[in-house]
Amino acid sequence: MKAIVSVKRVVDYNVRIQVKPDGSGVVTDGVKMSMNPFDEIAMEEAVRLKEKGKITEIIAVTIGGAKNEETLRTALAFGATKAIHIKDEGEVQPLTAARALAAVFKKEGASLLIAGKQAIDDDANQTGQMVAALLDIAQATFAGKVDVDGNKATVVREVDAGLETLEVDLPAVITADLRLNEPRYLKLPDIMKAKRIPIEATTLADLGVTAAAAVKTVKTVPPPSRSKGVMVKTVDDLVAALKAKGLA
Amino acid sequence: MPVSAASPFYNQEHEDFRAQVRRFVEREIVPHIERWEAAEELPRELHRKAADAGLLQIGFPERAGGVEVPDLFYMIVLTEELARAGSGGLIASLMSHGIATPPICHTGSAEQIARFAAPVLAGEKIGALAITEPSGGSDVAALKTRAVRDGEHYLVNGSKTFITSGMRADYITCAVRTGGEGMGGISLLVIEAGTPGFSRSPLQKMGWWASDTASLYFQDCRVPVANRIGAENMGFMAIMMNFNQERIMLATQAWAFAKVCYEDSLIYARERQTFGKPLIRNQVIRHKLADMKMRLDAVKAHLDILAWRVSHKQMPVAEVCLLKNHACTALEWIANEAMQILGGAGYLRGSRVERIYRETKVLTIGGGSLEIMKDLAGKQMGY
Ligand SMILES: Cc1cc2nc3c(=O)[nH]c(=O)nc-3n(C[C@H](O)[C@H](O)[C@H](O)COP(=O)(O)OP(=O)(O)OC[C@H]3O[C@@H](n4cnc5c(N)ncnc54)[C@H](O)[C@@H]3O)c2cc1C
């Protein structure tokens, strides 16, 4: 059984994000980039499923420019058995990514797509759901626990009201939430071995996918800087202060 | 061809490895380090976790369960990242096998490697190196602890002191006198914890609190001849073989802690307001920071070029001695300036600079003191 794991290259979570002066986006030149942390969790889950013998192959897929190779190398160091680089230098919107992933999913005859629930750059939280819709297969998003047995997956989801357990038929899409697992530390020999594994290259055109232009970014602005806090002396003062702000 | 890399010595693999060590330090060390400093020892669990993450094995041969690396820069990256926890004792003790285990791997038999090196690299056991004695550390060739052959055992009598990880160590790589005076009479024995006649007591120190430093006592301690590493009376060479790398790693620690001091004081100088403006807006403070950075970069260039030479099997003994002194004295200077920039905040427990400042001296004393390094370098250069 094959699982696809989508891995996105994003600005490292430790980097203090800077907005470009013209508001056209955030600065990425010379900035440390890493695999999206939710995708690391997805990778880890796939590797654990493989170690338990529930799946046999893990195909890591990324969409983006030449530098995305680094992200695939990380996936291979985790234990991906194959890596596919969909080369594209342009902006990749969620729908484009979903179309491309759906095409790879079909081509590879995969049973599972395990994705991060969102990427920490645009926080769109759309791609996994769109892949499920495009392929008309089941989806279990925000997974906090995953079990695969034969042709079914049992997924405990983190929802607003608490935990919800879903049983889905495969093929299916699962998106990983923060508490699904703690990704392992990649060992140096695995990092070194990963450098020597060939990567399969393809393009959106090869996959018969057209890039979507569903979203237009108008302007990027930094969040307002936090204003100074005030100290209150009593609970009554606190309630009054919250009321004055319309929060209570 | 245009070159964008900041250094010829570090590539993507070093950086990928760095990212893993950084995550380990942030998750497994930083949240606990104050507790371990107060407890004056590290939990054994940390050794297991560090082995699981593949950190203890770097630079050791595969036959011992190690991870062979093409250069010393992986070890430099490892030390640099571990130093971000701001505790020299953590590095000394978690990595005490870095001095205890190489002689076993270089000179030991396959069986000795399996018994005394592999479990240490797997984080299951702890290793320590015991050379220094109450009567002196610099003059290694004069050590006094006696081992007298008695059938298939040695009868060991004497004591060792200042031994890093000495309280917890399971396997102690111990230098003993089996022959006549001088360096030609020294052998290496692995003495196992629990051997009758072996006892130990903890030592309290100015710094390196997270490391359990001990005095070791041997009273008619019976150690199997099978625990001798290498031939009898050939121990001195086995000790010396590792000194170059040990000194490079001590220089790396000094540089890495100096870097922490520089970074912490830069952040503080930007945030701290005095006389209505950020501290860094004073030229005096900017000059301090520039001088710190200048020394840091000089040490790093010195370190990298010698690490490169040693990685290529060269033996620049004099240069490595002077590098150790360069790095340690730069650390003393930089920690002092950092403390000054932080003012009272730097003097308080819990600040990385406070601890590093307390721990500068151990680096100019251990692993070959400042004076001994200069003397050795001078001799090597035929002065
Ligand atoms: C925290 C800590 C951890 C340590 N861990 C270990 C360990 O794990 N294993 C181990 O074996 N040892 C360890 N040591 C011991 C360390 O290696 C010795 O302290 C060091 O070798 C110096 O020996 P000494 O302290 O006996 O000083 P001495 O040799 O007595 O020297 C005292 C002073 O005199 C100077 N001096 C000595 N001879 C000369 C000379 N000929 N000319 C000029 N100056 C001279 C020295 O530089 C020094 O400043 C540790 C020490 C410390 C402080």
Side-chain angles (χ1 to χ4, degrees), chain B residues 129 131-132 136-138 162-164 205 208 362 365 367 369 371-372:
Chain B
L129 177 70
I131 296 174
T132 307
S138 301
F162 305 146
I163 306 309
T164 298
K205 312 179 293 298
W208 276 21
V362 65
I365 294 170
S369 70
E371 294 76 16
I372 296 297

Side-chain angles (χ1 to χ4, degrees), chain B residues 206-227:
Chain B
M206 178 182 189
W208 276 21
W209 293 354
S211 169
D212 52 313
T213 309
S215 284
L216 316 179
Y217 311 98
F218 307 104
Q219 221 172 10
D220 288 338
C221 181
R222 290 178 76 81
V223 180
V225 171
N227 286 21

